[in-house]
């Protein structure tokens, strides 16, 4: 696992110190080795966390003739198969590293090689003779990759900070992206909150040649209007069982200690089950608990750890630890704000795990593939709710505003209010709203640059298929890479820990897409086929427990332990220094929350992280911000 950074500099020289310093700012992603490559046209840097082949595989890696140079972040799980095929074609290897396999695969098949790679990756390949740079990102966006085009040159990095380090990169706030962030609590690709810097989309590659940039897709997973083949539940379970066995076994391959993140839920317990079957040694498991809280999963976690005889370590996220100190570090290590409050427990989970292992398996992706979120049920229930006249639903919502506000993480009162509020929106907008925060009217109260069009464009980009598949695919395209995987990558790599999600093997993704919808959400049962597969393998208490969600009690903590940080960060002076925000509006949100007139914990988390980020990176506001359509025209981003 590594971090990569680089920039072209045609027809001009730059100090060598620039690429060395940009590379050093990613050292948390790869503390074991650092290296750079420099030529008349480009500078490349890489930091490496050694996982496979601890002796060789240094980066940047050059081809034997010196013409092609690779910097690479990720793991290719079928590298041994590809190595054998390439050796049959005359290629010779000097290491056991998957990095060298990626280099030779590119030399053999050029950009067609990306379809052959099975795993997670973000990479850059420079061809000296053609003066061509190729960037590529894995199919589902497990590993991040950012880029910026200016004056015919291109800058790229695993993290935003690698690009922001360059003095020629403007640090101007992208208001289109900010409009989305305030609604979603994350920034949907391809945009970032910095104008002109974009994310390379999952399953895409970019070519830069002679100052011209083009982007193309090499993989897409759109479900058919009906399954490609009729499949019984029994055969679906058999196929999923085979795919999980294969994927988990591949994800366990490493030359360093490896563990499993365990929450006591269905997803992580499934990964632990297959890992225990495949491993010949005792597994290490790691968990976060919330002792004394209704949402504490400790009992379930310990039940699973005992069942599989793991060497278990857990950390209780109590209020007497330095949570404000950890949160303030997010602004640096996140370097693009994500307002998922789950970042805090993942931060401490990664910090604890990194003391004993270098790699951790996790259960990310199962919810988006198999239908694990309550929002999918809400989408269905809302069809019936919309049969009730809107005026009656609005009256009910007004009455609910007088209900006592709960300190629970996600209380019944909170869910009911949000459900009715969402039912007043069109179906596609409601799906996005239920998993987000501020509505468009709520933004108008405090955000002077409010514009509903960016979110409308996003919603218009919903897949054309109908039903549950429409929303599953949307969440796989945006919420999964830009929130869930982003969170896992940043919080883990901040502690030099590699996290691997076996559910996101692209063969499992394609399998899930072809399943009938009733195998995913069946009545009140979420992730039906996965639950049925694990019946008899996991205990009934694990199979039938309610989904808890891996985040913090934000409503409660902003009225308690996090209140000083909130009030010290969102001050009148700081808010007024950012002229696009209205202090009176933000003050009203804070007061309503603290006075228990409403629960805005997750909304306030997003604002807190945003203002910490603006301060950390000295982000400026432009008087005439570019619109997304104008950016898209520059670099041919697919619509």
């Amino acid at each position: 696992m590594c971090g990569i950074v680089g920039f072209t500099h045609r027809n001009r020289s730059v100090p060598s110190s620039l690429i060395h310093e940009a590379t050093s700012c990613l050292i948390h992603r790869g503390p074991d080795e650092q290296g750079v490559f420099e030529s008349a046209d480009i500078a490349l840097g890489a930091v490496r966390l050694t996982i496979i082949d601890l002796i060789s595989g240094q980066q940047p890696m050059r081809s034997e003739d010196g013409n092609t140079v690779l910097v690479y972040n990720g793991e290719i799980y079928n590298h041994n198969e590809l190595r054998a095929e390439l050796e049959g074609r005359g290629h010779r290897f000097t290491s056991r590293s998957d990095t060298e396999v990626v280099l030779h695969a590119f030399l053999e098949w050029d950009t067609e090689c990306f379809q052959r790679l099975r795993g997670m990756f973000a990479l850059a390949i420079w061809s000296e003779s053609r003066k061509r740079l190729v960037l590529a990102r894995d199919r589902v966006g497990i590993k991040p990759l950012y880029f910026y085009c200016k004056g015919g040159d291109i800058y790229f990095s695993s993290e935003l900070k690698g690009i922001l380090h360059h003095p020629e990169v403007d640090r101007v706030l992208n208001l289109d992206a900010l409009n989305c962030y305030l609604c979603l609590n994350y920034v949907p690709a391809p945009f970032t909150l910095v104008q002109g810097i974009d994310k390379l989309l999952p399953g895409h590659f970019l070519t830069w040649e002679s100052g011209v940039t083009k982007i193309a897709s090499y993989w897409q997973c759109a479900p058919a209007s009906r399954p490609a083949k009729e499949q019984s539940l029994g055969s679906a379970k058999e196929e999923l069982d085979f795919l999980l066995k294969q994927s988990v076994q591949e994800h366990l391959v490493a030359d360093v200690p490896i563990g499993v993140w365990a929450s006591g839920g269905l997803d992580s317990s499934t990964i632990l089950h297959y890992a225990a079957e495949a491993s010949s040694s005792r597994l290490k498991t790691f968990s976060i608990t919330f002792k004394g809280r209704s949402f504490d999963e400790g009992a379930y976690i310990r039940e699973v750890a005992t069942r599989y005889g793991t060497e278990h370590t857990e950390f209780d996220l109590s209020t007497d630890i330095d949570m404000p100190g950890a949160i303030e570090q997010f602004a640096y290590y996140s370097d693009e704000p994500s307002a998922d409050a789950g970042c805090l427990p993942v931060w401490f989970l990664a910090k604890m795990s990194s003391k004993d292992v270098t790699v951790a398996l996790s259960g990310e992706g199962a919810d988006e593939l198999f239908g694990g979120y309550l929002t999918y049920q809400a989408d269905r229930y809302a069809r019936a709710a919309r049969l009730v006249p809107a005026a009656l639903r609005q009256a009910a919502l007004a009455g609910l505003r007088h209900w006592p506000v709960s300190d629970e993480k996600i209380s019944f009162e909170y869910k009911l209010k949000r459900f009715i509020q969402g039912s007043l929106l069109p179906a596609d907008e409601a799906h996005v709203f239920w998993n987000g925060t501020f509505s468009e009217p709520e933004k108008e109260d405090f955000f002077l640059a409010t514009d509903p069009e960016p979110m409308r464009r996003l919603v218009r980009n919903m897949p054309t298929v109908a039903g549950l598949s429409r929303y599953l695919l949307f969440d796989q395209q945006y919420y999964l890479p830009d929130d869930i995987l982003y969170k896992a990558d940043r919080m883990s790599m901040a502690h030099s820990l590699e996290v691997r999600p076996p559910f996101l093997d692209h063969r499992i993704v394609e399998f899930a897409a072809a399943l009938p919808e009733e195998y995913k959400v069946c009545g009140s049962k979420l992730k039906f086929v996965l639950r049925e597969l694990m019946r008899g393998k996991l205990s009934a208490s694990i199979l039938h427990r309610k989904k808890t969600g891996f985040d913090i009690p934000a409503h409660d903590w902003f009225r308690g332990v996090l209140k000083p940080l909130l009030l010290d960060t969102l001050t009148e002076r700081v808010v007024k220094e950012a002229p696009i925000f209205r202090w009176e509006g933000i003050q009203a949100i804070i007061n309503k929350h603290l006075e228990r007139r409403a629960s805005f914990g997750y909304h306030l988390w997003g604002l807190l992280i945003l203002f910490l980020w603006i301060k950390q990176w000295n982000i400026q506001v432009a008087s005439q911000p570019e619109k997304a359509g104008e950016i898209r025209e520059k670099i041919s981003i697919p619509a």
Side-chain angles (χ1 to χ4, degrees):
M1 188 54 58
C2 310
I4 62 175
V5 64
F7 51 86
T8 59
H9 48 88
R10 298 187 307 153
N11 305 318
R12 60 195 174 95
S13 61
V14 296
S16 181
S17 59
L18 189 57
I19 186 60
H20 285 273
E21 292 168 358
T23 303
S24 295
C25 79
L26 300 178
I27 198 167
H28 53 282
R29 298 186 71 92
D32 297 329
E33 296 173 357
Q34 298 83 45
V36 300
F37 168 84
E38 298 177 86
S39 73
D41 300 282
I42 197 168
L44 303 173
V47 296
R48 185 184 180 205
L49 178 67
T50 53
I51 304 291
I52 294 176
D53 192 348
L54 308 185
I55 299 175
S56 54
Q58 287 75 21
Q59 297 186 44
M61 183 174 285
R62 302 181 68 175
S63 59
E64 190 174 0
D65 62 5
N67 182 64
T68 307
V69 187
L70 166 70
V71 287
Y72 154 72
N73 166 29
E75 301 290 349
I76 304 302
Y77 301 118
N78 63 332
H79 69 95
N80 285 328
E81 300 168 30
L82 290 173
R83 181 190 302 269
E85 183 177 357
L86 289 164
E87 285 176 337
R89 291 173 174 265
H91 292 258
R92 295 294 174 261
F93 294 84
T94 60
S95 75
R96 293 191 303 108
S97 71
D98 56 343
T99 306
E100 190 177 10
V101 173
V102 173
L103 177 60
H104 283 267
F106 183 81
L107 294 173
E108 181 67 30
W109 297 299
D110 201 71
T111 57
E112 292 184 3
C113 75
F114 305 135
Q115 301 175 40
R116 296 170 175 262
L117 304 180
R118 188 165 71 241
M120 55 182 185
F121 60 88
L123 57 83
I125 303 176
W126 171 252
S127 299
E128 183 69 32
S129 59
R130 293 184 60 178
K131 307 298 181 185
R132 181 178 74 149
L133 177 70
V134 177
L135 307 179
R137 191 176 178 200
D138 66 65
R139 292 170 178 82
V140 294
I142 303 171
K143 291 291 104 182
L145 190 56
Y146 297 86
F147 68 96
Y148 175 80
C149 298
K150 183 178 182 180
D153 279 315
I154 187 168
Y155 311 73
F156 70 89
S157 180
S158 294
E159 297 185 5
L160 219 59
K161 63 175 66 65
I163 297 176
L164 293 177
H165 190 84
H166 202 290
E168 295 181 7
V169 175
D170 301 318
R171 302 186 181 197
V172 179
L173 194 63
N174 182 335
L175 295 185
D176 276 0
L178 182 55
N179 267 283
C180 291
Y181 172 88
L182 292 172
C183 291
L184 300 170
N185 263 0
Y186 65 89
V187 181
F191 304 114
T192 72
L193 284 183
V194 181
Q195 189 170 289
I197 302 182
D198 289 278
K199 305 165 191 167
L200 183 61
L201 295 173
H204 283 67
F205 67 91
L206 175 155
T207 57
W208 176 96
E209 196 166 3
S210 302
V212 178
T213 301
K214 296 180 180 179
I215 296 176
S217 169
Y218 68 87
W219 182 85
Q220 288 182 325
C221 184
S225 57
R226 62 177 56 187
K229 59 181 179 180
E230 294 297 328
Q231 193 172 30
S232 68
L233 179 60
S235 64
K237 287 164 53 180
E238 288 179 9
E239 186 172 352
L240 180 56
D241 178 62
F242 172 80
L243 290 171
L244 280 170
K245 282 180 180 176
Q246 196 169 44
S247 179
V248 172
Q249 188 169 31
E250 290 177 349
H251 281 70
L252 284 170
V253 175
D255 295 334
V256 293
I258 193 166
V260 179
W261 280 359
S263 69
L266 174 62
D267 304 341
S268 67
S269 299
T270 296
I271 297 303
L272 178 56
H273 170 83
Y274 284 98
E277 279 192 344
S279 179
S280 58
S281 58
R282 187 184 183 193
L283 290 170
K284 297 177 183 289
T285 52
F286 304 91
S287 302
I288 293 293
T289 60
F290 294 85
K291 291 179 180 177
R293 302 302 298 256
S294 62
F295 50 86
D296 178 49
E297 300 177 293
Y300 299 106
I301 292 166
R302 288 183 283 276
E303 176 187 336
V304 174
T306 300
R307 182 185 183 101
Y308 292 102
T310 69
E311 183 181 333
H312 183 63
T313 306
E314 60 186 46
F315 181 81
D316 185 63
L317 200 59
S318 57
T319 55
D320 59 353
I321 59 175
D322 185 17
M323 284 187 285
I327 292 169
E328 289 178 319
Q329 292 183 67
F330 289 176
Y332 179 78
Y333 286 105
S334 292
D335 81 10
E336 180 192 10
S338 169
D340 188 327
C343 283
L344 188 60
V346 175
W347 171 275
F348 285 103
L349 179 60
K351 183 177 182 180
M352 170 182 59
S353 305
S354 65
K355 296 175 182 178
D356 296 313
V357 299
T358 310
V359 176
L361 271 57
S362 69
E364 281 94 357
D367 288 320
E368 292 81 5
L369 298 185
F370 298 105
Y373 294 127
L374 291 176
T375 51
Y376 303 129
Q377 289 180 329
D379 293 326
R380 292 187 172 186
Y381 297 153
R383 297 173 197 166
R386 291 188 180 100
L387 297 176
V388 177
L392 291 179
R393 283 178 277 146
Q394 289 171 336
L397 184 60
L400 286 172
R401 297 192 195 284
H402 300 290
W403 277 26
V405 170
S406 171
D407 276 341
E408 282 299 309
K409 188 168 67 172
I410 303 180
S411 65
F412 174 76
E413 158 259 334
Y414 181 84
K415 288 188 287 188
L416 183 58
K417 289 177 182 176
R418 200 149 182 90
F419 173 76
I420 296 176
Q421 193 175 355
S423 75
L424 295 167
L425 300 171
D428 289 350
E429 293 181 26
H431 175 77
V432 177
F433 171 78
W434 281 319
N435 213 28
T437 48
F438 291 107
S439 66
E440 292 294 344
E442 287 171 337
K443 279 198 304 184
E444 293 176 358
D445 292 337
F446 69 91
F447 185 43
L448 300 177
T450 186
D451 181 0
E453 185 57 27
M455 283 299 297
R456 288 173 183 164
R457 282 196 300 267
L458 184 72
V459 172
R460 286 199 296 268
N461 203 33
M462 282 276 183
T464 55
V465 295
L468 175 63
S469 295
R470 180 179 183 84
Y471 300 126
L472 285 170
L473 191 62
F474 180 86
D475 290 344
Q476 290 170 34
Q477 184 177 352
Y478 294 108
Y479 181 64
L480 178 61
D482 297 326
D483 185 314
I484 301 299
L485 296 175
Y486 165 93
K487 171 178 63 180
D489 176 83
R490 288 301 195 283
M491 299 300 99
S492 62
M493 293 311 300
H495 298 96
S496 304
L497 177 76
E498 174 177 294
V499 173
R500 299 177 176 180
F503 275 114
L504 292 177
D505 182 303
H506 76 274
R507 296 165 299 183
I508 298 179
V509 177
E510 292 169 346
F511 161 81
L515 286 175
E517 289 187 1
E518 60 268 24
Y519 287 2
K520 300 170 187 175
V521 178
C522 183
S524 62
K525 295 180 180 179
L526 300 172
K527 292 181 287 195
F528 180 67
V529 67
L530 180 61
R531 215 170 290 277
E532 288 298 303
L533 170 64
M534 300 311 294
R535 189 180 301 278
K537 297 181 176 69
L538 299 176
S539 67
S541 60
I542 302 299
L543 285 172
H544 302 305
R545 57 170 296 209
K546 292 182 179 180
K547 187 174 183 63
T548 302
F550 195 55
D551 53 21
I552 63 172
H555 305 314
D556 180 23
W557 284 2
F558 275 127
R559 297 180 183 119
V561 65
L562 295 182
K563 179 180 175 180
L565 176 63
L566 175 69
L567 297 181
D568 288 345
T569 303
L570 297 181
T571 66
E572 181 176 3
R573 179 185 62 80
V574 168
V575 172
K576 287 184 175 179
E577 284 176 355
I580 55 174
F581 293 100
R582 191 168 71 88
W583 162 244
E584 292 77 12
I586 289 181
Q587 184 183 40
I589 296 169
I590 295 172
N591 290 341
K592 285 180 183 179
H593 184 80
L594 296 181
E595 294 166 7
R596 297 179 180 274
R597 287 183 281 141
S599 286
F600 284 117
Y602 297 108
H603 304 64
L604 289 171
W605 178 273
L607 291 173
L608 172 74
I609 298 299
L610 175 66
F611 276 86
L612 287 173
W613 173 78
I614 289 174
K615 177 183 177 182
Q616 171 71 47
W617 298 105
N618 190 29
I619 304 299
Q620 306 300 309
V621 179
S623 57
Q624 296 293 329
E626 285 186 294
K627 296 300 182 182
E630 297 170 358
I631 300 172
R632 211 179 281 281
E633 288 175 5
K634 290 181 183 179
I635 51 179
S636 303
I637 293 178

